[in-house]
Amino acid sequence: MAIAFDNATTGTVTLPTTTVTYTHTAAGDNRCAVVGASYFDSPAPNPTCSYDSVSMTQEVRVNDAGVSQAALFSLVAPGTGTNVDVTVADCGVQGGVSSGCCTFTGVAQADPTRATAAASDLTVAVTSAADDWCMDNYSHALDGTPDASQTERFSALQGGRYADSSTEIATGASTTMSWTDGVANGTVAVSLIPAAAAPPIPAGTLMGQAFM
């Protein structure tokens, strides 16, 4: 089963508030929600995230000591109701919070992520396999432009920090995601594994039963 993009929404909050809440709507089968967040404080905070009050897994974060920090969270089978609350909390008070949520269909449900990566740079390389979908979140002071191989999914700004995100369909064992804006802050990425295709029904069977 191939992964497909479903929807994207964003939310921001200004300092000194440390929590942002916004709404998202998801639909489709074998769903996975991935939330990116950009923020700043010193010492670096360790944010949390929930989708419709269900805790999400923090997949990866990067703590650039000077300017920006970023994190990605995931949740399989997120609720399909309209205007579901996405909440990113504990993000620190110095720079506000910028965040976005993407949902995908066709993602493996038992273990949706193959690998994660983080870098205090414009570029990050994440381990992948052909047909994985890789998603990044870039935290920086200027609005970035993704590489031509990537599709931008959201851009949110608050407190001088963008949360920019893109996706790329992997073609091999490593996928490099990069942005152009001249400022090297922090980039995080995750690769999502496609759901296994349903096995074919053997010839000579009907609804799983052999027939003559």
Side-chain angles (χ1 to χ4, degrees):
M1 178 179 292
I3 295 175
F5 176 74
D6 171 46
N7 191 21
T9 53
T10 61
T12 62
V13 65
T14 189
L15 58 84
T17 306
T18 64
T19 297
V20 60
T21 298
Y22 53 100
T23 60
H24 186 86
T25 301
D29 297 327
N30 295 307
R31 298 179 307 283
C32 183
V34 181
V35 171
S38 297
Y39 49 92
F40 174 70
D41 206 350
S42 181
N46 186 16
T48 60
C49 187
S50 63
Y51 186 102
D52 197 21
S53 300
V54 178
S55 295
M56 301 184 74
T57 298
Q58 185 189 99
E59 294 289 352
V60 61
R61 65 188 174 111
V62 61
N63 297 321
D64 185 289
V67 183
S68 296
Q69 291 124 13
L72 282 172
F73 305 85
S74 72
L75 178 68
V76 294
T80 57
T82 58
N83 297 327
V84 169
D85 282 344
V86 177
T87 300
V88 185
D90 307 316
C91 289
V93 300
Q94 291 194 33
V97 186
S98 303
S99 178
C101 177
C102 289
T103 43
F104 304 90
T105 60
V107 179
Q109 298 293 285
D111 185 6
T113 60
R114 187 179 306 280
T116 61
S120 295
D121 202 348
L122 294 161
T123 299
V124 64
V126 62
T127 299
S128 59
D131 298 324
D132 285 359
W133 273 50
C134 302
M135 175 176 161
D136 65 359
N137 184 78
Y138 181 33
S139 179
H140 53 106
L142 299 175
D143 191 12
T145 301
D147 184 80
S149 63
Q150 300 158 216
T151 301
E152 187 166 10
R153 297 301 182 183
F154 62 72
S155 179
L157 171 65
Q158 185 55 260
R161 254 153 225 92
Y162 280 91
D164 276 354
S165 181
S166 68
T167 59
E168 182 173 351
I169 302 175
T171 59
S174 180
T175 300
T176 298
M177 308 188 76
S178 61
W179 293 77
T180 301
D181 75 353
V183 179
N185 291 165
T187 308
V188 287
V190 62
S191 53
L192 300 177
I193 302 171
I201 299 175
T205 63
L206 180 64
M207 298 295 289
Q209 302 296 318
F211 66 92
M212 301 299 292

